[in-house]
Amino acid sequence: MTAHPFRTTLLSCVAFLAGACATATGPSSEEDIVSSEEVVVETEEMSPSRAMHERAIVMDTHLDTPANLVLPGFDIMERHDPALDYSQVDLPRMVEGGLDGGFWVIYTPQGPLATEAYEAVRDTAILRSLAIHKMVAANPDYFEIATKSTDAARIEGEGKRIVYQSIENAYPLGEDLSLLKTFYRLGVRMVGPVHFANNQFGDSATDPEGPDNDGLSALGFELVKEANRLGILLDGSHAHDLTVYDMMEASKTPIILSHSGARNVFDHPRNVDDALLLKLKETGGVIQMNALGAYLKVLQTQPAKRAAIMKLRKEMGDVDQMTEEDYQTYLETRRAIDAEFPSDMADFDDYMEHFIHVLDLIGPDHVGVGADWDGGGGVVGMQDIAAFPLITERLIDAGYAEEDIKKIWGGNVIRLLGEAEEYAASLKE
Amino acid sequence: MTAHPFRTTLLSCVAFLAGACATATGPSSEEDIVSSEEVVVETEEMSPSRAMHERAIVMDTHLDTPANLVLPGFDIMERHDPALDYSQVDLPRMVEGGLDGGFWVIYTPQGPLATEAYEAVRDTAILRSLAIHKMVAANPDYFEIATKSTDAARIEGEGKRIVYQSIENAYPLGEDLSLLKTFYRLGVRMVGPVHFANNQFGDSATDPEGPDNDGLSALGFELVKEANRLGILLDGSHAHDLTVYDMMEASKTPIILSHSGARNVFDHPRNVDDALLLKLKETGGVIQMNALGAYLKVLQTQPAKRAAIMKLRKEMGDVDQMTEEDYQTYLETRRAIDAEFPSDMADFDDYMEHFIHVLDLIGPDHVGVGADWDGGGGVVGMQDIAAFPLITERLIDAGYAEEDIKKIWGGNVIRLLGEAEEYAASLKE
């Protein structure tokens, strides 16, 4: 137990959880700082499942939150309400949900597969990493950039939040694989080749035209080789099954699916079937369970709602270019659309059905959490990261031991990162 | 007069200047915060020349300080002693010297003109900009990134330090001019094509082989065009005379020499002659006076000292890769070498001789200050930025009016940046 003020604030809070506590956890409030003696008392008052949650290194491998860092007025140190601004991750809620950190995503949407578009999006991706570094630099007592597999435990031990970085969609690398080294030097330790559509590296799970390359392209195989050489984890989420099989075969170290689901529970291309999961297990890989509702079960689609949102976006332009006032107007209209067209949503039971199915199939050495926060994730009963302790409760109920739960929350991805590092180091010997 | 705490601390200090005051200006010390009434009193106690210095926007256009930001243990918020660690710029000394900011340099040394070397140094340059952004993000009450010509006055008015960025040596752009846009988006607003040696963009003033291109190369002309298109100032310091003439001819807006001297005072290739200065004036450009001793007068060279320093560097490797302990050992040995071989040095009079010569020749609309701090600058009597008020005193003694002095300290470079912006904007119309 350290005397770190925010750490102690966290622990003094977990006993009475949820809203009332979280609003009192402003990290800069002197009143919240309690002595370490008090903390011990509070810790003893925790529920056994919450105490187990706290003892684990709790990481989510797909935090799309960096997209929020560039929104007008967004402050990671303040508590946000998802009902007001749709945001799902900030420091107060990380404390409330016992989330120690994870992989913070550099996501860029895909444009044409052409030089000029590559250059523009390359710069956007660099600036997104810059935004992550600035968040950490501005709050050095609460966050730390992580680059090594051993960093997670050390940072968590110091009561700070773990900030690994990942690239979702390698599209901004263009055809210049030397840029992967650029991002490596910026701290990136995970890369997924594709997003919604096929690109220069290979085939996506969701391209309306179907696969172009029967998996990875020649450049995609080079990407795998370069990621292995550097010690960057390969992420098969969003990739077509053929691409994932290529990645498992070509990669010298196990791959991760940073945010995916089980196709044998719900048949969607963003999920993977049992055969692929067994191959993932066989190759030592890990799947991190996604909480994006439309991939969990059949939901009623609402074309009218979608049209209203598209119209709003078209009228108001990019949110990250708005003034704070315009952004608030945008959110107001967005909330009105939600009120007019209530969404059909998946719930926490739907999420856990995928989770338990995969656990039953391939076991706790090969499963983790990547719920797509701030990127579409969230279900009724788990609307943001504050609800994460519920997963630990369910895993205990399902009979998993503490050692298993620790692997699921952080141990597995740390193991994979360690293997990637070791392979990269072996090439230098 | 604002109530900004550090601003008021600054003003309460200027009356009794120098060492004793500066050590009391730790920005986080509550005791230093004085009321605005007290400040008015203190301001009235200032010498007239210091008061004039404070009223100006005081900028230096060549701060090599970002190289220090990546040194083990360096903290921009702490006062450093140049006799101990050779550092010349930090926040307490900026306050003491009345330096409001300037251009913070992304410098990378030149290697082979080949793809792999370009890629490595591109990444180093991106990381150097990241270090600048992290410095600002970590200290948002004291520093602010500036990108527009109007930012300087606004930031100074808020009592913060102005952080424009510049690239010294465009070598890290390789042959990919799209990277200039990358750096533009990172905030860079000044670029100098070359450093000590000729490169892909053109000829250096100091290449032992002499010029290769008779000035700018074809790619160098493209660089000028792209900088103009983006609104980035072109910097002719380190460039061969032929290159500077090419730049003045090709650029659509006036160029700057960010840290140069007068060849008619001391004949050195890093200085420019009166003919070039007159052409600079004719084209609306500005020269910023450099304080690097070996360019100011003939100094006794000391091959034995140089050899001892080279040996030390070879033995201990790159300073930015050292542990803090090793770095302190390195500094100790470095100081011992200095004690064994006392350097022949230029002094403040030598510096002002260049300064006044150029002022007499081309007038106060075309002269400013870029003293190469943390990059080799510094003379006896002006060893770091804390001594900057001495320049204002000398300019007053030389008969320059306040309006002239304001142009010299900041107005001229702001004017040039404004012209670069206007041209770039005109292309979009």
Side-chain angles (χ1 to χ4, degrees):
Chain A
M1 204 63 56
T2 72
H4 188 280
F6 200 52
R7 177 71 174 175
T8 55
T9 304
L10 145 65
L11 291 168
S12 71
C13 264
V14 291
F16 45 103
L17 259 177
C21 169
T23 52
T25 58
S28 58
S29 166
E30 295 282 326
E31 288 164 57
D32 290 331
I33 299 170
V34 293
S35 78
S36 54
E37 270 169 85
E38 278 179 89
V39 170
V40 174
V41 175
E42 301 282 0
T43 310
E44 283 169 5
E45 284 172 10
M46 274 188 215
S47 70
S49 80
R50 177 67 196 221
M52 193 186 290
H53 190 73
E54 286 302 319
R55 286 193 298 270
I57 299 173
V58 175
M59 296 207 286
D60 182 293
T61 52
H62 200 79
L63 301 169
D64 270 318
T65 313
N68 286 353
L69 296 178
V70 297
L71 289 184
F74 184 84
D75 184 350
I76 195 77
M77 301 302 280
E78 282 177 16
R79 189 184 176 85
H80 300 77
D81 181 348
L84 291 179
D85 69 0
Y86 305 91
S87 125
Q88 297 176 303
V89 178
D90 49 42
L91 184 67
R93 284 181 288 174
M94 292 184 84
V95 173
E96 188 184 335
L99 177 62
D100 294 309
F103 282 78
W104 299 64
V105 176
I106 299 166
Y107 162 71
T108 45
Q110 194 158 312
L113 304 184
T115 307
E116 212 164 310
Y118 289 151
E119 289 165 357
V121 76
R122 168 197 68 198
D123 298 348
T124 302
I126 290 170
L127 291 176
R128 195 54 52 88
S129 177
L130 176 68
I132 296 169
H133 279 276
K134 282 163 69 178
M135 172 190 87
V136 173
N139 305 291
D141 295 336
Y142 305 105
F143 292 98
E144 188 173 330
I145 294 286
T147 57
K148 299 191 194 84
S149 61
T150 51
D151 284 344
R154 181 184 54 74
I155 295 169
E156 192 265 355
E158 291 169 7
K160 295 191 278 192
R161 306 290 141 175
I162 303 152
V163 183
Y164 287 108
Q165 294 169 77
S166 64
I167 290 179
E168 179 177 32
N169 200 6
Y171 169 69
L173 303 179
E175 296 179 359
D176 178 3
L177 281 181
S178 82
L179 288 170
L180 192 61
K181 177 86 178 282
T182 310
F183 285 99
Y184 178 86
R185 290 184 68 185
L186 284 165
V188 166
R189 292 296 181 270
M190 186 191 293
V191 64
V194 293
H195 193 242
F196 284 147
N198 304 339
N199 68 17
Q200 70 270 37
F201 296 108
D203 294 327
S204 162
T206 49
D207 196 299
E209 307 290 326
D212 282 332
N213 298 280
D214 292 332
L216 287 171
S217 68
L219 192 66
F221 280 104
E222 288 301 311
L223 177 74
V224 169
K225 197 173 168 187
E226 181 64 2
N228 283 165
R229 190 184 73 79
L230 292 167
I232 293 179
L233 271 186
L234 284 153
D235 177 8
S237 283
H238 282 288
H240 193 278
D241 290 357
L242 291 168
T243 309
V244 180
Y245 278 107
D246 276 352
M247 290 168 73
M248 288 192 288
E249 189 153 331
S251 177
K252 300 294 185 184
T253 72
I255 73 162
I256 194 167
L257 305 177
S258 71
H259 59 308
S260 290
R263 202 178 293 163
N264 287 47
V265 177
F266 176 60
D267 187 10
H268 189 286
R270 275 289 282 110
N271 298 330
V272 289
D273 67 13
D274 286 359
L276 195 150
L277 285 168
L278 290 168
K279 180 74 179 175
L280 187 73
K281 176 185 179 170
E282 186 193 319
T283 56
V286 179
I287 178 173
Q288 310 280 115
M289 304 312 300
N290 194 359
L292 195 146
Y295 306 159
L296 295 175
K297 62 183 275 196
V298 178
L299 298 179
Q300 288 305 113
T301 58
Q302 302 196 74
K305 180 177 191 173
R306 178 184 289 251
I309 294 171
M310 294 302 279
K311 181 165 170 279
L312 171 64
R313 287 192 182 153
K314 201 174 167 191
E315 277 168 12
M316 295 203 61
D318 287 344
V319 282
D320 59 349
Q321 300 301 314
M322 289 178 193
T323 63
E324 202 169 333
E325 202 184 341
D326 283 348
Y327 180 55
Q328 292 305 323
T329 308
Y330 166 87
L331 287 174
E332 214 170 293
T333 317
R334 182 74 176 74
R335 290 192 297 267
I337 295 170
D338 284 356
E340 191 179 346
F341 308 99
S343 284
D344 189 15
M345 287 186 73
D347 68 17
F348 186 58
D349 286 337
D350 298 317
Y351 179 64
M352 289 309 300
E353 192 185 345
H354 283 255
F355 211 130
I356 298 296
H357 171 85
V358 177
L359 273 172
D360 286 347
L361 184 72
I362 59 175
D365 286 335
H366 303 283
V367 185
V369 176
D372 210 357
W373 300 115
D374 293 323
V379 290
V380 175
M382 185 175 78
Q383 302 261 21
D384 62 19
I385 51 159
F388 259 165
L390 298 175
I391 295 178
T392 299
E393 279 181 27
R394 287 288 186 98
L395 293 173
I396 293 170
D397 291 348
Y400 287 96
E402 176 157 9
E403 286 317 299
D404 295 332
I405 291 171
K406 283 183 169 174
K407 287 178 193 167
I408 291 166
W409 272 121
N412 291 334
V413 61
I414 292 170
R415 180 187 79 230
L416 257 57
L417 193 54
E419 291 182 55
E421 280 168 2
E422 273 176 39
Y423 176 76
S426 76
L427 296 180
K428 289 177 189 149
E429 279 162 8
Chain B
M1 203 63 55
T2 71
H4 188 279
F6 200 51
R7 177 70 175 177
T8 55
T9 305
L10 146 66
L11 291 169
S12 70
C13 264
V14 291
F16 43 103
L17 260 176
C21 169
T23 52
T25 58
S28 59
S29 166
E30 294 283 326
E31 289 165 57
D32 290 333
I33 299 169
V34 293
S35 79
S36 54
E37 272 168 85
E38 278 180 88
V39 170
V40 174
V41 174
E42 302 282 0
T43 309
E44 283 169 4
E45 284 172 9
M46 274 187 216
S47 70
S49 80
R50 178 67 196 221
M52 192 186 291
H53 190 74
E54 286 302 318
R55 287 193 295 271
I57 298 173
V58 176
M59 295 207 286
D60 182 293
T61 51
H62 199 79
L63 301 168
D64 270 317
T65 312
N68 287 353
L69 297 177
V70 297
L71 289 184
F74 184 85
D75 184 349
I76 195 75
M77 302 301 280
E78 283 178 15
R79 187 183 177 85
H80 300 77
D81 181 349
L84 291 179
D85 70 359
Y86 306 91
S87 125
Q88 298 177 303
V89 178
D90 49 43
L91 183 67
R93 284 182 288 175
M94 293 183 84
V95 173
E96 187 184 336
L99 177 62
D100 294 309
F103 282 78
W104 299 64
V105 177
I106 298 166
Y107 161 70
T108 44
Q110 194 158 312
L113 304 184
T115 307
E116 211 163 310
Y118 290 150
E119 289 166 358
V121 76
R122 167 197 68 198
D123 297 347
T124 302
I126 290 170
L127 291 176
R128 195 54 51 88
S129 177
L130 176 67
I132 296 169
H133 280 276
K134 283 163 70 177
M135 173 190 86
V136 173
N139 304 291
D141 294 337
Y142 304 106
F143 293 97
E144 188 173 330
I145 294 286
T147 57
K148 298 192 196 84
S149 62
T150 51
D151 285 344
R154 181 184 54 74
I155 294 170
E156 193 265 354
E158 291 170 6
K160 295 192 277 191
R161 307 289 141 174
I162 303 151
V163 183
Y164 288 109
Q165 294 169 76
S166 63
I167 289 179
E168 179 177 32
N169 201 8
Y171 169 68
L173 304 179
E175 297 179 359
D176 178 3
L177 281 180
S178 82
L179 288 170
L180 192 62
K181 177 86 178 284
T182 310
F183 285 98
Y184 178 87
R185 290 183 69 186
L186 284 165
V188 166
R189 291 297 180 269
M190 185 191 294
V191 64
V194 293
H195 193 243
F196 285 146
N198 304 339
N199 68 17
Q200 69 271 37
F201 296 107
D203 294 328
S204 162
T206 49
D207 196 300
E209 308 289 325
D212 283 332
N213 298 282
D214 292 332
L216 286 172
S217 68
L219 192 66
F221 280 104
E222 288 301 311
L223 178 73
V224 169
K225 197 173 168 187
E226 181 65 3
N228 283 166
R229 189 183 74 79
L230 292 167
I232 293 179
L233 271 185
L234 284 152
D235 177 8
S237 283
H238 283 287
H240 192 278
D241 289 357
L242 292 168
T243 309
V244 179
Y245 278 106
D246 277 351
M247 290 167 73
M248 289 191 289
E249 189 153 330
S251 178
K252 300 293 186 185
T253 72
I255 72 161
I256 195 167
L257 306 177
S258 71
H259 59 306
S260 290
R263 200 179 294 165
N264 286 46
V265 176
F266 177 58
D267 187 9
H268 190 286
R270 275 289 284 108
N271 297 329
V272 289
D273 66 15
D274 286 359
L276 193 150
L277 285 168
L278 290 168
K279 180 75 179 173
L280 187 72
K281 176 184 179 170
E282 187 193 318
T283 56
V286 179
I287 178 173
Q288 309 280 112
M289 304 312 299
N290 193 359
L292 194 146
Y295 306 159
L296 295 175
K297 62 182 275 198
V298 178
L299 298 180
Q300 288 305 114
T301 57
Q302 302 196 76
K305 181 177 190 172
R306 178 184 288 252
I309 293 170
M310 294 302 280
K311 181 166 168 280
L312 171 64
R313 285 191 182 151
K314 202 175 165 190
E315 277 168 11
M316 294 201 61
D318 288 344
V319 282
D320 59 349
Q321 300 302 313
M322 289 178 194
T323 63
E324 202 168 332
E325 203 184 339
D326 284 348
Y327 181 56
Q328 291 306 322
T329 307
Y330 166 87
L331 287 174
E332 214 171 291
T333 317
R334 183 73 176 75
R335 291 193 296 267
I337 294 169
D338 284 356
E340 192 180 345
F341 308 99
S343 284
D344 189 16
M345 287 186 74
D347 67 17
F348 187 58
D349 286 337
D350 299 318
Y351 179 65
M352 290 308 299
E353 192 185 344
H354 283 255
F355 211 130
I356 298 296
H357 172 85
V358 176
L359 273 173
D360 286 347
L361 184 73
I362 59 175
D365 285 336
H366 303 283
V367 185
V369 176
D372 210 357
W373 300 115
D374 293 324
V379 290
V380 174
M382 186 175 78
Q383 302 261 20
D384 61 19
I385 51 159
F388 260 165
L390 298 175
I391 295 177
T392 299
E393 279 181 27
R394 288 287 187 98
L395 294 172
I396 294 170
D397 291 348
Y400 287 96
E402 175 157 9
E403 285 316 298
D404 295 331
I405 290 170
K406 283 184 169 173
K407 287 178 193 166
I408 291 166
W409 273 121
N412 291 333
V413 62
I414 291 169
R415 179 188 79 229
L416 258 56
L417 194 54
E419 292 182 54
E421 281 168 2
E422 273 175 38
Y423 176 76
S426 75
L427 298 179
K428 289 179 191 147
E429 278 163 9

